[in-house]
Amino acid sequence: MISDFHPAWLPVEAFRALGSRRVQVRGEGLLLDTVRTEVAAACRRFGGAPADTGLCDVSFAVSSQADLAPEEFTYARGEGVTVVRAADPAGLLHGFFHVVRQGERAFAGDFDERHAPALPIRLVSHWDNVDVHPVMGQVERGYAGGSIFWSAGRLREDLSRVRAYARLLAAGGINAVAINNVNVHEAEAQLLTDRIGEVAALAEQFRAYGIRVHLSVTFAAPIALGGLPTADPLDERVRAWWAQATQTVYARIPDFGGYVVKADSEGQPGPSAYARSHADGANLLAEALAPFGGVVHWRAFVYNHRQDWRDRSTDRARAAYDHFTPLDGRFAPNVILQVKHGPMDFQVREPVSPLLGAMPSTPVAVEVQATQEYTGQQRHVCYLGPMWSEVLRFPFARPVAGLVQGMVTVANVGDDPFWTGHPLAQANLYAAARLGWNPALDPLALLDEWIALTFPGHDPALREALRAIMDESWQAYERYTAPLGVGFMVRPGHHYGPDVDGYEYTPWGTYHFADRDGIGVDRTRATGTGFTGQYPSPWRDAYESLADCPDELLLFFHHVPYAHVLRNGATVVQHIYDTHFAGVERVEAMILRWQQVSGLVDEAVAARIAERLAEQLRSAEEWRDQVNAYFYRKSGVPDARGRRIY
Ligand code: GCV
């Protein structure tokens, strides 16, 4: 398939190795047809041949005898033939893209491997609106243009971009997508009923690549859509309404994945209005979905967003754990508790959410944000693979990846020609998809994989430069923004650019408590909010202790004087100055590096990257100067190196 859209990590060239060979495909069904179509297109392009009979160089076969789990495939080579086998068509599709990713390596030497996804749930969550929201626009927190699904209140007529997108997601190992915003407004609510045809049309595009569609629904649907006087989860009429509505959904979309629900969060309705628990609410929907094999993703992003900043006893970081741990074991088996990776809200540095390690009797999925709401909004290069890898490897009793059933990635794509606004932001979606399949993958190796696929055959100098620019770009962003894990300091509302006190006296619960003497949030058990107590050993003690708390999270857990000496030897205030200067220098270095190689890529890509880097530098300087000036003025401590602070 050759599409008109930016090929991202599936350029034509990526199919050369496969497409120049004799390729056999055995098995029936939609996904096998997809593989056959892919093979035929690649062979037409590169001179190979589909080989249904006779000799072949590579064989893809679904075989029911194979002792393989769902989605698993074997990948072996001997006697000059590469063989991919799976027990189900989904496994074969994954095996097909594995061969594409391997390129010539798939046809050299002998090997015998098995590949299975570590996490069965690998969902990309869109925050797309049907109607353009007056504040949030077509895509909430979207930085890549309009929605690829809807435009100005209507489903797009031409869904070929959706098909191309499904193909990209499948090539990374994604198997599920939620098509609309978790904040469900009036028009979006109707997708469940009157507008289910739009969901069905999108499901048709995704189905061809083995991706099941999920829908975000409002908990108040029985009232808003059903005309009932209540949405009480224990009310028989409400149960019957959901059962009927869900049955109708499955009549249209037999492979429908399930619902995503943001309830009792940031103004969305939920079971608390009826004095019912989150378990009551989630189980209501789970019951309706169970007969069809559907699941409900129930989000744990629940906190008081109308907090009084004067009240020092309320701590937003505590909220998800406090709400949900008492309910462990009370959720139906087809409820997936969807937990943001940190206890706050996708900040550049947060500890891992303690809730991820505290729900042994509940299926849990970890939620990460590819859309760069708080990490530069796809104007800044910020490769997040290393952050997510740290989360997935974080050792509770077992690593997080061994505790969760799934990984949910908030999408970063739109109708932008490069899909993601910043062309290099594609790497985040790719890395998230691949980490969901195998959380043990090295994020730097994944970056190399993405670069090699996206820029095949290019000068090695280009690949090295991209690696140099993107590797540790997360840490670069961290250096010039909010320091030492304290978070936020962004402009309220749109969340781009610095505003140190922007959220300080607001109801959102995101404070840094800087005064003339010091900064940070005391979350200790001894003198603070007690949040450290939500962690098991050894973390509860490591975070509690000023001496043992990692520097990068110091201000998340402790309020300290500016003269406090970090483990790296600098005082807090000097560290703030140093990192803010260093962060900007790093962006300057990125720009120089890009200038050396930009002539090696397509002009439009080069221009877009150059434009974004210039904005990144402007913004980084703004962050540096505001943050440094703020702390210089508060503390009165001059920079030990005498650099210019305003
Ligand atoms: C979809 C943050 C964002 C909101 C988002 C919310 C969520 O607060 O700013 O735009 O809403 O997270 O994850 O539900």
Side-chain angles (χ1 to χ4, degrees):
M1 173 183 148
I2 298 166
S3 79
D4 298 335
F5 308 105
H6 189 267
W9 48 86
L10 287 180
V12 169
E13 195 55 31
F15 292 82
R16 177 181 292 278
L18 180 81
S20 56
R21 290 188 158 84
R22 290 161 301 178
V23 189
Q24 184 184 67
V25 181
R26 287 164 59 191
E28 301 303 325
L30 181 65
L31 296 188
L32 270 294
D33 292 346
T34 298
V35 173
R36 282 200 182 85
T37 307
E38 292 279 357
V39 165
C43 288
R44 266 199 310 279
R45 181 96 191 183
F46 293 108
D52 280 341
T53 52
L55 289 176
C56 65
D57 303 301
V58 52
S59 161
F60 294 95
V62 170
S63 112
S64 53
Q65 294 104 316
D67 154 36
L68 294 168
E71 299 194 280
E72 187 175 17
F73 62 89
T74 59
Y75 168 65
R77 183 170 171 85
E79 297 173 4
V81 183
T82 303
V83 179
V84 174
R85 281 188 208 285
D88 62 3
L92 204 74
L93 184 70
H94 294 307
F96 169 77
F97 282 120
H98 182 76
V99 169
V100 172
R101 275 196 302 274
Q102 296 305 306
E104 282 299 331
R105 289 190 302 272
F107 304 101
D110 285 357
F111 44 81
D112 188 359
E113 301 172 9
R114 281 173 92 116
H115 295 265
L119 306 181
I121 295 171
R122 303 180 306 280
L123 181 142
V124 170
S125 173
H126 280 254
W127 288 353
D128 296 27
N129 296 316
V130 172
D131 277 345
V132 179
H133 186 273
V135 179
M136 294 297 175
Q138 186 78 68
V139 181
E140 179 152 348
R141 311 303 181 188
Y143 311 107
S147 165
I148 61 172
F149 307 140
W150 291 281
S151 175
R154 298 171 65 90
L155 184 72
R156 288 177 179 273
E157 270 170 32
D158 178 3
L159 295 180
S160 51
R161 182 188 275 270
V162 178
R163 179 70 69 115
Y165 176 56
R167 180 173 180 252
L168 286 172
L169 292 185
I174 292 296
N175 63 2
V177 65
I179 55 174
N180 63 309
N181 189 359
V182 291
N183 291 326
V184 182
H185 309 290
E186 206 180 324
E188 294 76 15
Q190 291 172 14
L191 292 170
L192 178 61
T193 52
D194 298 357
R195 299 182 73 159
I196 191 67
E198 296 173 33
V199 186
L202 291 170
E204 193 183 332
Q205 303 303 322
F206 283 108
R207 183 176 299 122
Y209 282 94
I211 295 172
R212 292 173 79 176
V213 159
H214 295 57
L215 194 61
S216 297
V217 295
T218 169
F219 194 76
I223 302 172
L225 304 172
L228 293 182
T230 177
D232 182 348
L234 301 192
D235 187 301
E236 280 309 319
R237 293 164 300 174
V238 171
R239 291 176 64 197
W241 187 87
W242 277 109
Q244 178 58 46
T246 305
Q247 191 176 27
T248 311
V249 169
Y250 277 92
R252 291 296 296 271
I253 311 167
D255 59 350
F256 181 70
Y259 299 138
V260 179
V261 189
K262 173 175 176 178
D264 287 324
S265 167
E266 298 186 332
Q268 294 296 306
S272 71
Y274 311 98
R276 310 295 185 202
S277 72
H278 282 277
D280 295 330
N283 292 346
L284 163 76
L285 303 186
E287 179 188 59
L289 289 157
F292 309 99
V295 294
V296 52
H297 283 244
W298 191 268
R299 295 181 84 230
F301 183 59
V302 177
Y303 68 100
N304 177 9
H305 72 292
R306 297 209 176 96
Q307 193 191 322
D308 183 347
W309 59 268
R310 301 169 193 84
D311 168 14
R312 295 293 289 261
S313 69
T314 303
D315 179 6
R316 174 165 162 180
R318 292 189 57 116
Y321 181 104
D322 284 343
H323 279 289
F324 286 95
T325 51
L327 300 175
D328 189 30
R330 286 188 43 203
F331 290 99
N334 59 330
V335 174
I336 316 292
L337 190 67
Q338 190 168 306
V339 181
K340 287 193 183 186
H341 68 79
M344 295 295 279
D345 196 2
F346 301 134
Q347 299 304 291
V348 69
R349 180 75 69 172
E350 291 187 40
V352 170
S353 169
L355 186 57
L356 289 167
M359 298 294 285
S361 304
T362 306
V364 171
V366 58
E367 183 180 309
V368 303
Q369 196 186 39
T371 195
Q372 291 171 236
E373 176 176 1
Y374 294 102
T375 50
Q377 303 199 349
Q378 283 139 255
R379 291 184 238 181
H380 297 223
V381 181
C382 188
Y383 173 55
L384 294 166
M387 179 207 270
W388 302 329
S389 171
E390 272 187 19
V391 171
L392 291 162
R393 292 169 192 230
F394 185 82
F396 286 114
R398 275 180 287 151
V400 165
L403 295 172
V404 300
Q405 306 292 310
M407 177 157 158
V408 174
T409 304
V410 181
N412 62 351
V413 306
D415 68 353
D416 169 72
F418 307 108
W419 295 100
T420 49
H422 201 310
L424 303 185
Q426 288 175 7
N428 283 331
L429 188 59
Y430 185 77
R434 298 277 290 128
L435 285 170
W437 179 278
N438 183 359
L441 289 169
D442 170 13
L444 191 53
L446 274 180
L447 177 60
D448 287 336
E449 185 178 296
W450 174 80
I451 293 171
L453 284 168
T454 306
F455 301 95
H458 278 87
D459 197 317
L462 173 68
R463 296 210 290 273
E464 277 160 31
L466 284 169
R467 185 185 220 254
I469 290 167
M470 297 174 75
D471 181 26
E472 296 195 9
S473 53
W474 166 42
Q475 287 88 340
Y477 187 84
E478 178 180 29
R479 282 187 196 116
Y480 58 77
T481 57
L484 297 166
V486 78
F488 289 87
M489 299 190 173
V490 289
R491 298 227 172 96
H494 59 60
H495 297 168
Y496 187 72
D499 188 345
V500 179
D501 280 339
Y503 275 111
E504 201 56 16
Y505 306 102
T506 69
W508 296 93
T510 56
Y511 315 119
H512 55 67
F513 300 114
D515 59 20
R516 66 179 186 175
D517 300 318
I519 176 174
V521 192
D522 184 353
R523 292 194 161 105
T524 62
R525 304 190 286 289
T527 53
T529 69
F531 170 69
T532 58
Q534 293 187 343
Y535 287 89
S537 288
W539 307 106
R540 55 190 287 114
D541 298 325
Y543 293 145
E544 177 82 5
S545 150
L546 202 49
D548 295 337
C549 184
D551 277 354
E552 69 271 15
L553 289 170
L554 184 75
L555 303 182
F556 193 93
F557 287 105
H558 297 273
H559 186 91
V560 296
Y562 293 116
H564 174 83
V565 179
L566 295 169
R567 298 161 83 174
N568 71 16
T571 62
V572 164
V573 71
Q574 189 59 41
H575 173 89
I576 291 175
Y577 301 149
D578 290 345
T579 50
H580 283 74
F581 284 111
V584 171
E585 283 159 20
R586 175 68 211 273
V587 178
E588 287 165 347
M590 287 178 181
I591 291 178
L592 281 180
R593 198 73 203 254
W594 181 243
Q595 283 166 348
Q596 289 158 4
V597 297
S598 65
L600 298 171
V601 302
D602 175 83
E603 263 178 43
V605 173
R608 177 67 72 85
I609 293 176
E611 164 221 307
R612 302 270 151 151
L613 282 171
E615 164 55 19
Q616 183 169 2
L617 180 59
R618 186 209 61 76
S619 174
E621 286 171 346
E622 191 185 9
W623 270 101
R624 175 196 63 195
D625 293 339
Q626 280 202 30
V627 172
N628 283 348
Y630 180 95
F631 287 103
Y632 173 56
R633 291 177 190 181
K634 279 263 169 186
S635 70
V637 179
D639 173 31
R641 293 176 53 193
R643 290 163 291 194
R644 177 139 200 215
I645 295 180
Y646 296 87

